[in-house]
Amino acid sequence: MSSILKVFGGDDETILDPFLSLMNKCPVLNTPTDWKETPEAHVFTADLPGLKKEEVKVEIDEGNVLKVSGERAPEKGDKNDRWRHVERFRGKFLRRFKLPDNAKTDEVKASMENGVLKVIIRKQEVKKPEKKVIQIEDK
C-alpha cells in the first residue's frame, strides 16, 4: 500500500508521496550513478535525463575525488498552471566518489549522450612501497 498524503490548502489539493519527497531532496537518490572497474579504467555512468552537458560539471577535487554536480532548473510554466503531481527532481545535485590510488586523475574523459553522463578515468600501476631492512645497533 502506498503512503501518499493529500494536503489541502485553500482551493488546492496537492498529492505528496513521502518517498518521492525524500528522493527529490537527496542527491544520491536523484542522481543514480554506476561505477564499474575494468582492467584499464574506472567507468562512471550517471543518469541525468533532460540535462545538457553545459548544465553538468565534472571535476577532480582534493586530488582524488571525482565530483559530478549541476542543477536542473524548475520547469517554466504559466502562472495559472497548477501542478498535480511531481516526481522528477529539480534543483542542485552533487555526487562525490573517492577514487582509489590507481586512478590517473590527470587523464579523465567525460562525455554525455541522451542524458547519460559517462566518465572514464584511466588506471595506473601503483608502486608498492619498497621493503627496507633496518639494522639494529648495539648500545
Side-chain angles (χ1 to χ4, degrees):
M1 183 192 309
S2 176
S3 57
I4 294 177
L5 305 172
K6 287 187 180 181
V7 178
F8 299 94
D11 60 353
D12 285 339
E13 175 186 326
T14 305
I15 298 176
L16 300 175
D17 184 326
F19 174 75
L20 292 174
S21 179
L22 173 66
M23 192 170 112
N24 283 331
K25 292 176 184 166
C26 179
V28 173
L29 295 175
N30 69 24
T31 314
T33 305
D34 296 336
W35 177 358
K36 172 176 71 172
E37 184 175 354
T38 70
E40 299 83 27
H42 296 277
V43 180
F44 295 83
T45 307
D47 288 341
L48 301 169
L51 291 180
K52 299 175 194 149
K53 68 180 185 177
E54 297 81 19
E55 299 170 311
V56 178
K57 191 174 189 180
V58 177
E59 302 172 280
I60 297 295
D61 197 15
E62 300 171 14
N64 69 339
V65 176
L66 173 65
K67 186 171 149 184
V68 178
S69 61
E71 184 171 3
R72 181 185 309 274
E75 192 171 313
K76 295 178 182 176
D78 187 85
K79 67 177 183 172
N80 296 321
D81 291 348
R82 191 168 103 191
W83 291 99
R84 292 293 190 159
H85 188 80
V86 177
E87 290 185 356
R88 298 179 303 141
F89 84 89
R90 287 151 174 80
K92 294 181 181 183
F93 63 90
L94 169 65
R95 295 297 311 271
R96 296 171 55 92
F97 300 92
K98 186 172 185 318
L99 299 170
D101 292 337
N102 68 355
K104 273 185 155 177
T105 57
D106 57 339
E107 291 187 28
V108 179
K109 293 184 180 180
S111 62
M112 195 157 168
E113 184 177 352
N114 296 326
V116 177
L117 173 69
K118 184 173 263 189
V119 179
I120 299 173
I121 304 172
R122 308 283 309 158
K123 289 169 64 174
Q124 62 187 354
E125 189 174 323
V126 178
K127 293 181 182 178
K128 294 182 181 178
E130 293 182 21
K131 190 179 209 180
K132 184 176 179 182
V133 177
I134 309 299
Q135 295 294 328
I136 301 173
E137 298 178 10
D138 291 328
K139 282 197 170 188

